[in-house]
Amino acid sequence: MDDELRSLTERLRQEAGSSVAYDRLVATEDPDELAGVLTEPGQPLWARELAAFRLGLAGDRRAFEPLVLFLNHRDPPRCASAAYALARLGDPRTARAAAALATNELRVAYALHPVRLLVDLRAPEAVPALITTLRRRLRPHDPYRRVALACVEGLGALGDTRAAPVLNEALAHPVLAEAAVHALARIPRQR
C-alpha cells in the first residue's frame, strides 16, 4: 500500500468509526462498486473520498469530477489527497480544472493544492495560471502568502522564462524574496 493511501485510509477510518462499509470499501477490488459509491445518494463524505481516491489511483476517469470537488474542499487533507489522486489519474481535463481552481479569486483560500498539482502536472496551463495567481498575491497585505510562496516555488520548478517578470516583482516582498531568488536562478537567461 502506498504511503498516501495508507495516510488517507487511517484518516478516514477515524471518520468512519468501526464501520463495515469502511472495511468493504478498503478491501474491494471492484471498480464498479467504488464508482457506485460516487453516485448513490446518502453516501457519507468519507466513503465518497475513499472511492474517488482509489478509482483515481487506478486510472478510472469516473473519479475525475469527485476528485476535483475534493481538490477545492475546505479541509486541507482532502485537498492534498485529491491532488495526489488527480496527478495519477491521467485525465486530460485535470490541468484545466486545476488552473481554474488556482485562479479563482473567490476560492483563493483553497488554491494551494491546485497550484501544487499544476506544478506536478507540468501542463501548458501551469505557467500562465501560476503567473496570474502570483500576480494577484503581490497586492499589499494579501493574506494568502502560502499560495504566493507555492506559486513562486512552482514557477522556479517549471523554469519557464515567462515567469521572470512576476518573480522579479516578488523580490520586493520580504516573505517571498528568498524563494524568488532561488526560482529566478532556475530560469534560463534569455539572450
Side-chain angles (χ1 to χ4, degrees), residues 64 67-69 71-72 79 82-83 86-87 91-104 107 110-123 125-130 133 147 151:
F64 174 75
L67 287 172
V68 169
L69 291 173
L71 182 62
N72 195 33
C79 300
L86 281 164
D91 192 299
R93 301 170 291 176
T94 300
R96 204 168 339 123
L101 293 174
T103 59
N104 182 343
R107 302 288 294 172
Y110 310 108
L112 181 63
H113 293 286
V115 164
R116 290 179 177 164
L117 176 58
L118 282 167
V119 175
D120 287 345
L121 295 173
R122 304 183 82 79
E125 295 89 344
V127 172
L130 269 59
T133 303
V147 173
C151 288

Side-chain angles (χ1 to χ4, degrees), residues 6-23:
R6 184 176 295 110
S7 173
L8 175 104
T9 55
E10 288 303 314
R11 177 172 54 81
L12 296 182
R13 175 179 285 123
Q14 292 176 4
E15 279 186 45
S18 38
S19 164
V20 173
Y22 170 83
D23 293 335

